[in-house]
Coordinates of all heavy atoms in Angstrom, one line a residue:
M1 N -34.7 -199.9 81.4 CA -33.5 -200.7 81.4 C -32.6 -200.3 80.3 O -33.0 -200.2 79.1 CB -33.9 -202.2 81.3 CG -32.8 -203.1 81.5 SD -33.1 -204.9 81.6 CE -34.8 -205.1 81.4
G2 N -31.3 -200.1 80.6 CA -30.4 -199.6 79.6 C -30.0 -200.7 78.6 O -30.2 -201.9 78.8
A3 N -29.4 -200.3 77.5 CA -28.9 -201.2 76.5 C -27.8 -202.1 77.0 O -27.8 -203.3 76.6 CB -28.4 -200.4 75.3
A4 N -27.0 -201.7 77.8 CA -25.9 -202.5 78.4 C -26.5 -203.6 79.3 O -26.0 -204.8 79.2 CB -24.9 -201.7 79.2
V5 N -27.5 -203.3 80.0 CA -28.2 -204.3 80.9 C -28.9 -205.4 80.0 O -28.8 -206.6 80.3 CB -29.1 -203.6 81.9 CG1 -29.9 -204.7 82.6 CG2 -28.4 -202.7 82.8
R6 N -29.6 -204.9 79.0 CA -30.3 -205.9 78.1 C -29.3 -206.8 77.4 O -29.5 -208.0 77.3 CB -31.1 -205.1 77.1 CG -32.4 -204.6 77.6 CD -33.4 -204.1 76.5 NE -32.8 -203.2 75.6 CZ -32.8 -201.9 75.7 NH1 -33.4 -201.4 76.8 NH2 -32.3 -201.1 74.9
L7 N -28.2 -206.2 76.9 CA -27.1 -207.0 76.3 C -26.5 -208.0 77.2 O -26.3 -209.2 76.9 CB -26.0 -206.1 75.7 CG -24.9 -206.8 75.0 CD1 -25.4 -207.6 73.8 CD2 -23.8 -205.8 74.6
T8 N -26.3 -207.6 78.4 CA -25.7 -208.5 79.5 C -26.7 -209.6 79.7 O -26.3 -210.8 79.9 CB -25.4 -207.7 80.7 OG1 -24.5 -206.7 80.4 CG2 -24.8 -208.7 81.8
L9 N -28.0 -209.3 79.9 CA -29.0 -210.4 80.1 C -29.1 -211.4 78.9 O -29.2 -212.6 79.1 CB -30.4 -209.8 80.3 CG -30.5 -209.1 81.7 CD1 -31.9 -208.4 81.8 CD2 -30.4 -210.0 82.8
W10 N -29.0 -210.9 77.7 CA -29.0 -211.7 76.5 C -27.8 -212.6 76.5 O -27.9 -213.8 76.2 CB -29.1 -210.9 75.2 CG -30.5 -210.6 74.8 CD1 -31.0 -209.3 74.9 CD2 -31.5 -211.4 74.3 NE1 -32.3 -209.4 74.5 CE2 -32.6 -210.6 74.1 CE3 -31.5 -212.8 74.0 CZ2 -33.8 -211.2 73.6 CZ3 -32.7 -213.3 73.5 CH2 -33.8 -212.5 73.3
M11 N -26.6 -212.1 76.8 CA -25.4 -212.9 76.9 C -25.5 -214.0 78.0 O -25.0 -215.1 77.8 CB -24.2 -212.0 77.1 CG -23.9 -211.1 75.9 SD -23.6 -212.0 74.4 CE -22.0 -212.8 74.8
C12 N -26.0 -213.6 79.1 CA -26.2 -214.6 80.2 C -27.1 -215.7 79.8 O -26.8 -216.9 80.1 CB -26.7 -213.9 81.5 SG -25.4 -212.9 82.3
C13 N -28.2 -215.4 79.1 CA -29.1 -216.4 78.7 C -28.5 -217.3 77.6 O -28.6 -218.5 77.7 CB -30.4 -215.8 78.1 SG -31.5 -215.1 79.4
A14 N -27.7 -216.7 76.7 CA -27.1 -217.5 75.7 C -26.0 -218.5 76.3 O -26.0 -219.6 75.9 CB -26.4 -216.6 74.7
M15 N -25.3 -218.0 77.3 CA -24.3 -218.8 77.9 C -25.0 -220.0 78.7 O -24.5 -221.1 78.7 CB -23.4 -218.0 78.9 CG -22.5 -217.1 78.1 SD -21.2 -216.3 79.1 CE -22.1 -215.7 80.5
A16 N -26.1 -219.7 79.4 CA -26.8 -220.7 80.2 C -27.4 -221.7 79.2 O -27.2 -222.9 79.5 CB -27.9 -220.0 81.0
F17 N -28.0 -221.3 78.1 CA -28.6 -222.3 77.2 C -27.5 -223.1 76.5 O -27.7 -224.3 76.3 CB -29.5 -221.6 76.2 CG -30.8 -221.2 76.8 CD1 -31.2 -219.8 76.6 CD2 -31.6 -222.0 77.5 CE1 -32.4 -219.4 77.2 CE2 -32.8 -221.6 78.1 CZ -33.2 -220.2 77.9
G18 N -26.4 -222.5 76.2 CA -25.3 -223.2 75.6 C -24.7 -224.2 76.5 O -24.4 -225.4 76.1
T19 N -24.6 -223.9 77.8 CA -24.1 -224.8 78.8 C -25.0 -226.0 79.0 O -24.6 -227.2 79.1 CB -23.9 -224.1 80.1 OG1 -22.9 -223.1 79.9 CG2 -23.3 -225.1 81.2
V20 N -26.3 -225.7 79.0 CA -27.3 -226.8 79.1 C -27.3 -227.7 77.9 O -27.3 -229.0 78.0 CB -28.7 -226.2 79.3 CG1 -29.8 -227.3 79.2 CG2 -28.8 -225.5 80.7
T21 N -27.2 -227.2 76.7 CA -27.1 -228.0 75.5 C -25.8 -228.8 75.5 O -25.9 -230.0 75.2 CB -27.1 -227.0 74.3 OG1 -28.3 -226.3 74.3 CG2 -27.1 -227.8 73.0
E22 N -24.7 -228.2 75.8 CA -23.5 -229.0 75.9 C -23.6 -230.1 76.9 O -23.1 -231.3 76.6 CB -22.3 -228.1 76.2 CG -21.0 -228.8 76.2 CD -19.8 -227.9 76.5 OE1 -20.0 -226.6 76.5 OE2 -18.7 -228.4 76.8
G23 N -24.1 -229.9 78.0 CA -24.3 -230.9 79.1 C -25.2 -232.0 78.6 O -25.0 -233.2 78.9
A24 N -26.3 -231.6 77.9 CA -27.2 -232.7 77.4 C -26.5 -233.6 76.4 O -26.7 -234.8 76.4 CB -28.4 -232.0 76.8
M25 N -25.7 -233.0 75.5 CA -25.0 -233.8 74.6 C -24.1 -234.8 75.3 O -23.9 -235.9 74.9 CB -24.2 -232.9 73.6 CG -25.1 -232.2 72.6 SD -26.1 -233.2 71.6 CE -24.9 -234.1 70.7
N26 N -23.4 -234.3 76.3 CA -22.5 -235.2 77.0 C -23.2 -236.3 77.8 O -22.8 -237.4 77.8 CB -21.6 -234.4 78.0 CG -20.4 -233.7 77.4 OD1 -19.9 -234.3 76.4 ND2 -20.1 -232.6 77.9
D27 N -24.4 -235.9 78.3 CA -25.1 -236.9 79.1 C -25.8 -237.9 78.3 O -25.9 -239.1 78.7 CB -26.2 -236.1 80.0 CG -25.5 -235.3 81.1 OD1 -24.3 -235.5 81.3 OD2 -26.2 -234.4 81.6
W28 N -26.4 -237.5 77.2 CA -27.3 -238.4 76.4 C -26.7 -239.0 75.2 O -27.3 -239.9 74.6 CB -28.5 -237.6 76.0 CG -29.4 -237.2 77.2 CD1 -29.4 -236.1 77.9 CD2 -30.3 -238.1 77.8 NE1 -30.3 -236.1 78.9 CE2 -30.8 -237.4 78.9 CE3 -30.7 -239.4 77.6 CZ2 -31.8 -237.9 79.8 CZ3 -31.7 -239.9 78.5 CH2 -32.2 -239.2 79.5
S29 N -25.5 -238.6 74.8 CA -24.9 -239.2 73.6 C -24.7 -240.7 73.6 O -25.0 -241.4 72.7 CB -23.6 -238.5 73.2 OG -22.6 -238.7 74.2
A30 N -24.2 -241.2 74.7 CA -24.0 -242.7 74.8 C -25.3 -243.4 74.9 O -25.5 -244.5 74.3 CB -23.1 -243.0 76.1
L31 N -26.3 -242.8 75.6 CA -27.6 -243.5 75.6 C -28.3 -243.5 74.3 O -28.9 -244.5 73.9 CB -28.5 -242.8 76.7 CG -28.1 -243.0 78.1 CD1 -29.0 -242.1 79.0 CD2 -28.2 -244.4 78.5
Y32 N -28.1 -242.4 73.5 CA -28.7 -242.4 72.2 C -28.1 -243.4 71.3 O -28.7 -244.1 70.6 CB -28.5 -241.0 71.6 CG -28.9 -240.9 70.1 CD1 -30.2 -240.8 69.8 CD2 -28.0 -241.1 69.1 CE1 -30.6 -240.7 68.4 CE2 -28.3 -241.1 67.8 CZ -29.7 -240.9 67.4 OH -30.0 -240.9 66.1
L33 N -26.7 -243.5 71.3 CA -26.0 -244.5 70.5 C -26.4 -245.9 70.9 O -26.6 -246.8 70.0 CB -24.5 -244.3 70.6 CG -23.9 -243.1 69.9 CD1 -22.5 -243.0 70.2 CD2 -24.1 -243.3 68.4
K34 N -26.6 -246.2 72.2 CA -27.0 -247.5 72.6 C -28.4 -247.9 72.3 O -28.7 -248.9 71.7 CB -26.7 -247.7 74.1 CG -27.0 -249.1 74.6 CD -26.6 -249.2 76.1 CE -27.6 -248.5 77.0 NZ -28.8 -249.2 77.4
D35 N -29.4 -247.0 72.6 CA -30.8 -247.3 72.6 C -31.4 -247.0 71.2 O -32.2 -247.8 70.7 CB -31.6 -246.5 73.6 CG -31.2 -246.9 75.0 OD1 -30.6 -248.0 75.2 OD2 -31.5 -246.1 76.0
V36 N -31.0 -245.9 70.6 CA -31.7 -245.5 69.3 C -30.9 -246.0 68.1 O -31.4 -246.6 67.2 CB -31.8 -244.0 69.2 CG1 -32.4 -243.6 67.9 CG2 -32.7 -243.5 70.4
A37 N -29.6 -245.8 68.1 CA -28.7 -246.2 67.0 C -28.3 -247.7 67.1 O -27.7 -248.2 66.1 CB -27.5 -245.3 66.9
K38 N -28.6 -248.3 68.2 CA -28.3 -249.7 68.4 C -26.8 -250.0 68.3 O -26.4 -251.1 67.7 CB -29.1 -250.6 67.5 CG -30.6 -250.4 67.5 CD -31.2 -250.8 68.9 CE -32.7 -250.6 68.9 NZ -33.3 -250.3 70.1
A39 N -26.0 -249.1 68.8 CA -24.6 -249.3 68.8 C -24.2 -250.4 69.8 O -24.9 -250.6 70.8 CB -23.8 -248.0 69.0
S40 N -23.1 -251.0 69.7 CA -22.6 -252.0 70.6 C -22.3 -251.3 71.9 O -22.0 -250.1 72.0 CB -21.4 -252.8 70.1 OG -20.3 -251.9 70.0
A41 N -22.2 -252.1 73.0 CA -21.8 -251.6 74.3 C -20.4 -251.0 74.3 O -20.1 -250.1 75.1 CB -22.0 -252.7 75.4
Q42 N -19.5 -251.5 73.4 CA -18.2 -251.0 73.3 C -18.1 -249.7 72.6 O -17.2 -248.9 72.8 CB -17.3 -252.1 72.6 CG -17.0 -253.3 73.4 CD -18.2 -254.3 73.3 OE1 -19.0 -254.2 72.4 NE2 -18.3 -255.3 74.2
L43 N -19.0 -249.5 71.6 CA -19.0 -248.3 70.8 C -19.8 -247.1 71.4 O -19.4 -246.0 71.2 CB -19.5 -248.6 69.4 CG -19.5 -247.5 68.4 CD1 -18.1 -247.1 68.1 CD2 -20.2 -247.9 67.1
A44 N -20.8 -247.4 72.2 CA -21.7 -246.4 72.7 C -20.9 -245.3 73.5 O -21.2 -244.1 73.4 CB -22.8 -247.0 73.5
P45 N -20.0 -245.6 74.4 CA -19.3 -244.6 75.2 C -18.5 -243.6 74.3 O -18.1 -242.6 74.7 CB -18.4 -245.4 76.1 CG -19.0 -246.7 76.2 CD -19.6 -247.0 74.9
M46 N -18.2 -244.0 73.0 CA -17.4 -243.2 72.2 C -18.2 -241.9 71.8 O -17.6 -240.9 71.4 CB -17.1 -243.9 70.9 CG -16.0 -245.0 71.0 SD -14.5 -244.4 71.7 CE -13.9 -243.4 70.3
G47 N -19.5 -241.9 72.0 CA -20.3 -240.7 71.8 C -19.8 -239.5 72.7 O -19.7 -238.4 72.2
I48 N -19.5 -239.8 73.9 CA -19.0 -238.8 74.8 C -17.6 -238.3 74.4 O -17.4 -237.1 74.4 CB -18.9 -239.3 76.3 CG1 -20.3 -239.7 76.8 CG2 -18.3 -238.3 77.2 CD1 -20.3 -240.5 78.1
A49 N -16.8 -239.2 73.9 CA -15.5 -238.8 73.5 C -15.5 -237.9 72.2 O -14.8 -236.9 72.1 CB -14.6 -240.0 73.2
V50 N -16.4 -238.3 71.3 CA -16.6 -237.5 70.1 C -17.1 -236.1 70.4 O -16.6 -235.1 69.9 CB -17.5 -238.3 69.1 CG1 -17.9 -237.4 67.9 CG2 -16.8 -239.5 68.6
V51 N -18.2 -236.0 71.2 CA -18.7 -234.7 71.6 C -17.7 -233.9 72.2 O -17.5 -232.7 71.9 CB -20.0 -234.9 72.5 CG1 -20.4 -233.6 73.1 CG2 -21.1 -235.5 71.7
S52 N -16.9 -234.4 73.2 CA -15.9 -233.7 73.9 C -14.8 -233.2 72.9 O -14.3 -232.1 73.0 CB -15.3 -234.5 75.0 OG -16.3 -234.8 75.9
G53 N -14.4 -234.1 72.0 CA -13.3 -233.8 71.0 C -13.8 -232.7 70.1 O -13.0 -231.8 69.8
V54 N -15.0 -232.7 69.6 CA -15.5 -231.7 68.7 C -15.6 -230.4 69.5 O -15.3 -229.3 68.9 CB -16.8 -232.1 68.1 CG1 -17.5 -231.0 67.3 CG2 -16.6 -233.3 67.1
M55 N -16.0 -230.4 70.7 CA -16.1 -229.2 71.5 C -14.7 -228.5 71.7 O -14.6 -227.3 71.6 CB -16.7 -229.4 72.9 CG -18.2 -229.7 72.8 SD -19.2 -228.5 72.0 CE -19.0 -227.1 73.2
V56 N -13.7 -229.4 71.9 CA -12.3 -228.8 72.0 C -11.9 -228.2 70.7 O -11.3 -227.1 70.7 CB -11.4 -230.0 72.5 CG1 -9.9 -229.5 72.3 CG2 -11.6 -230.4 73.9
L57 N -12.1 -228.9 69.6 CA -11.7 -228.4 68.3 C -12.4 -227.1 68.0 O -11.8 -226.1 67.5 CB -12.0 -229.4 67.2 CG -11.1 -230.6 67.1 CD1 -11.6 -231.6 66.1 CD2 -9.7 -230.2 66.9
A58 N -13.7 -227.0 68.3 CA -14.5 -225.8 68.1 C -14.0 -224.6 68.9 O -13.8 -223.5 68.4 CB -16.0 -226.0 68.3
R59 N -13.7 -224.9 70.2 CA -13.2 -223.9 71.0 C -11.8 -223.4 70.6 O -11.4 -222.2 70.8 CB -13.2 -224.3 72.5 CG -14.6 -224.4 73.0 CD -14.7 -224.9 74.4 NE -16.1 -224.9 74.8 CZ -16.5 -225.4 75.9 NH1 -15.7 -226.1 76.7 NH2 -17.8 -225.4 76.3
L60 N -11.0 -224.3 70.1 CA -9.6 -223.9 69.7 C -9.6 -223.2 68.4 O -8.8 -222.2 68.2 CB -8.7 -225.2 69.6 CG -8.4 -225.8 70.9 CD1 -7.6 -227.1 70.7 CD2 -7.5 -224.9 71.8
F61 N -10.4 -223.6 67.4 CA -10.3 -223.1 66.1 C -11.4 -222.2 65.6 O -11.3 -221.5 64.5 CB -10.1 -224.2 65.1 CG -8.9 -225.0 65.4 CD1 -9.0 -226.3 65.9 CD2 -7.6 -224.5 65.1 CE1 -7.8 -227.1 66.1 CE2 -6.5 -225.2 65.4 CZ -6.6 -226.5 65.9
A62 N -12.6 -222.1 66.3 CA -13.7 -221.4 65.7 C -13.5 -219.9 65.6 O -13.9 -219.3 64.6 CB -14.9 -221.6 66.7
D63 N -12.8 -219.3 66.4 CA -12.5 -217.9 66.3 C -11.6 -217.6 65.0 O -11.9 -216.6 64.3 CB -11.8 -217.3 67.5 CG -12.8 -217.1 68.7 OD1 -14.0 -217.0 68.4 OD2 -12.3 -217.1 69.8
G64 N -10.7 -218.5 64.8 CA -9.9 -218.3 63.6 C -10.7 -218.5 62.3 O -10.5 -217.8 61.3
W65 N -11.5 -219.5 62.3 CA -12.4 -219.8 61.2 C -13.3 -218.6 60.9 O -13.6 -218.2 59.8 CB -13.2 -221.0 61.4 CG -12.4 -222.3 61.4 CD1 -11.2 -222.5 60.9 CD2 -12.8 -223.5 62.1 NE1 -10.8 -223.8 61.2 CE2 -11.8 -224.4 61.9 CE3 -13.9 -223.9 62.8 CZ2 -11.8 -225.7 62.4 CZ3 -14.0 -225.2 63.3 CH2 -12.9 -226.1 63.1
R66 N -13.9 -218.1 62.0 CA -14.8 -216.9 61.9 C -14.0 -215.7 61.3 O -14.5 -215.0 60.5 CB -15.4 -216.6 63.2 CG -16.4 -215.4 63.1 CD -17.0 -215.3 64.5 NE -17.8 -214.0 64.4 CZ -17.9 -213.2 65.4 NH1 -17.2 -213.4 66.5 NH2 -18.6 -212.1 65.3
G67 N -12.8 -215.5 61.8 CA -12.0 -214.4 61.3 C -11.6 -214.5 59.8 O -11.5 -213.6 59.1
R68 N -11.4 -215.8 59.4 CA -10.9 -216.1 58.1 C -12.1 -216.0 57.1 O -12.0 -215.5 56.0 CB -10.3 -217.4 58.0 CG -9.7 -217.8 56.7 CD -8.9 -219.1 56.8 NE -8.2 -219.3 55.6 CZ -7.4 -220.4 55.5 NH1 -7.2 -221.2 56.5 NH2 -6.8 -220.6 54.3
W69 N -13.2 -216.7 57.4 CA -14.3 -216.8 56.4 C -15.6 -216.0 56.8 O -16.5 -216.0 56.0 CB -14.7 -218.3 56.3 CG -13.6 -219.1 55.7 CD1 -13.0 -219.0 54.5 CD2 -13.0 -220.3 56.4 NE1 -12.1 -219.9 54.4 CE2 -12.0 -220.7 55.5 CE3 -13.2 -220.9 57.6 CZ2 -11.2 -221.8 55.7 CZ3 -12.4 -222.0 57.8 CH2 -11.4 -222.4 56.9
G70 N -15.6 -215.4 57.9 CA -16.8 -214.6 58.3 C -17.8 -215.5 59.1 O -17.6 -216.7 59.2
T71 N -18.7 -214.8 59.7 CA -19.7 -215.5 60.6 C -20.6 -216.5 59.9 O -20.7 -217.7 60.3 CB -20.5 -214.5 61.4 OG1 -19.7 -213.7 62.1 CG2 -21.5 -215.2 62.3
G72 N -21.1 -216.1 58.8 CA -22.1 -217.0 58.1 C -21.5 -218.3 57.6 O -21.9 -219.4 57.9
P73 N -20.4 -218.2 56.7 CA -19.8 -219.4 56.2 C -19.2 -220.4 57.2 O -19.2 -221.6 57.1 CB -18.7 -218.9 55.2 CG -19.2 -217.6 54.9 CD -19.9 -217.0 56.1
S74 N -18.7 -219.8 58.3 CA -18.1 -220.6 59.4 C -19.1 -221.3 60.3 O -18.9 -222.3 60.9 CB -17.1 -219.9 60.2 OG -17.7 -218.8 60.8
S75 N -20.3 -220.7 60.5 CA -21.3 -221.3 61.4 C -22.4 -222.0 60.6 O -23.1 -222.8 61.2 CB -21.9 -220.2 62.2 OG -22.6 -219.2 61.4
A76 N -22.6 -221.8 59.3 CA -23.7 -222.5 58.6 C -23.5 -224.0 58.6 O -24.5 -224.7 58.9 CB -23.7 -221.9 57.2
P77 N -22.4 -224.6 58.4 CA -22.3 -226.1 58.4 C -22.7 -226.6 59.8 O -23.4 -227.6 59.9 CB -20.8 -226.4 58.1 CG -20.4 -225.2 57.4 CD -21.1 -224.0 57.9
A78 N -22.3 -225.9 60.9 CA -22.6 -226.4 62.2 C -24.1 -226.3 62.5 O -24.7 -227.1 63.2 CB -21.9 -225.6 63.3
A79 N -24.8 -225.3 61.9 CA -26.2 -225.2 62.1 C -27.0 -226.2 61.2 O -28.0 -226.6 61.6 CB -26.6 -223.8 61.7
H80 N -26.5 -226.5 60.0 CA -27.3 -227.3 59.1 C -27.1 -228.8 59.2 O -28.0 -229.6 59.0 CB -26.9 -226.9 57.6 CG -27.4 -225.5 57.3 ND1 -28.8 -225.3 57.0 CD2 -26.8 -224.3 57.2 CE1 -28.9 -224.0 56.7 NE2 -27.7 -223.4 56.9
W81 N -25.9 -229.2 59.7 CA -25.6 -230.6 59.7 C -26.5 -231.3 60.7 O -27.1 -232.4 60.3 CB -24.2 -230.8 60.1 CG -23.7 -232.2 60.2 CD1 -24.2 -233.3 59.4 CD2 -22.7 -232.8 61.0 NE1 -23.6 -234.4 59.7 CE2 -22.7 -234.2 60.7 CE3 -21.9 -232.3 62.0 CZ2 -21.8 -235.0 61.3 CZ3 -21.0 -233.1 62.6 CH2 -20.9 -234.5 62.3
P82 N -26.8 -230.9 61.9 CA -27.7 -231.6 62.8 C -29.1 -231.7 62.3 O -29.8 -232.6 62.5 CB -27.6 -230.9 64.2 CG -26.4 -230.1 64.1 CD -26.1 -229.8 62.6
G83 N -29.5 -230.6 61.6 CA -30.9 -230.6 61.1 C -31.1 -231.3 59.8 O -32.2 -231.4 59.3
S84 N -30.0 -231.8 59.2 CA -30.1 -232.4 57.9 C -30.7 -233.8 57.9 O -31.0 -234.4 56.9 CB -28.7 -232.4 57.2 OG -27.9 -233.3 57.9
G85 N -30.7 -234.4 59.1 CA -31.2 -235.8 59.2 C -30.1 -236.8 58.9 O -30.3 -238.0 58.8
W86 N -28.8 -236.4 58.8 CA -27.7 -237.3 58.6 C -27.6 -238.2 59.8 O -27.6 -237.7 60.9 CB -26.4 -236.5 58.3 CG -25.2 -237.4 58.1 CD1 -24.9 -237.9 56.9 CD2 -24.2 -237.8 59.0 NE1 -23.8 -238.7 57.0 CE2 -23.4 -238.6 58.3 CE3 -24.0 -237.6 60.4 CZ2 -22.3 -239.2 58.9 CZ3 -23.0 -238.2 61.0 CH2 -22.1 -239.0 60.3
R87 N -27.4 -239.4 59.5 CA -27.3 -240.4 60.6 C -26.0 -241.1 60.5 O -25.6 -241.5 59.4 CB -28.4 -241.4 60.6 CG -29.7 -240.7 61.0 CD -30.8 -241.6 61.3 NE -30.4 -242.4 62.5 CZ -31.2 -243.2 63.1 NH1 -32.4 -243.4 62.7 NH2 -30.8 -243.8 64.2
S88 N -25.4 -241.4 61.6 CA -24.1 -242.2 61.6 C -24.4 -243.6 61.1 O -25.4 -244.2 61.4 CB -23.6 -242.2 63.0 OG -22.5 -243.0 63.1
P89 N -23.4 -244.2 60.4 CA -23.6 -245.6 60.0 C -23.4 -246.6 61.1 O -23.4 -247.8 60.9 CB -22.6 -245.8 58.9 CG -21.5 -244.8 59.2 CD -22.2 -243.6 59.9
C90 N -23.3 -246.2 62.4 CA -23.0 -247.1 63.5 C -24.2 -248.1 63.6 O -25.3 -247.8 63.8 CB -22.8 -246.3 64.8 SG -21.4 -245.2 64.8

């Protein structure tokens, strides 16, 4: 198998897993806020709005941030924040 085919397969897998992850965030954010974070019924649907808003911001500005600061500094906060254990005060 050639290098181009392997690269294409890796890109397809990355896109598939990214789509699954984004869909899971959209599907489960309101349930997480309601059941785990014990947010009110009025606040829980805001999880979907926040996830969607952040995705729009990332898609609009991430390439510019990467070009300005490089790959590491622009992606490190996004990688570390979810794993840091930071919880919303909701």
Side-chain angles (χ1 to χ4, degrees):
M1 188 172 2
V5 173
R6 283 195 304 272
L7 179 62
T8 302
L9 289 174
W10 275 107
M11 292 300 292
C12 288
C13 287
M15 290 187 315
F17 289 126
T19 302
V20 168
T21 303
E22 182 181 346
M25 289 300 297
N26 278 327
D27 294 343
W28 291 97
S29 60
L31 291 174
Y32 173 82
L33 286 173
K34 182 177 74 86
D35 295 341
V36 177
K38 304 297 184 207
S40 67
Q42 293 80 18
L43 183 63
M46 289 301 294
I48 296 170
V50 169
V51 168
S52 297
V54 170
M55 290 302 296
V56 167
L57 289 174
R59 288 179 176 165
L60 290 175
F61 298 109
D63 286 336
W65 295 336
R66 183 176 171 222
R68 184 175 188 176
W69 295 302
T71 301
S74 61
S75 61
H80 291 282
W81 183 30
S84 69
W86 181 81
R87 294 194 62 175
S88 172
C90 298

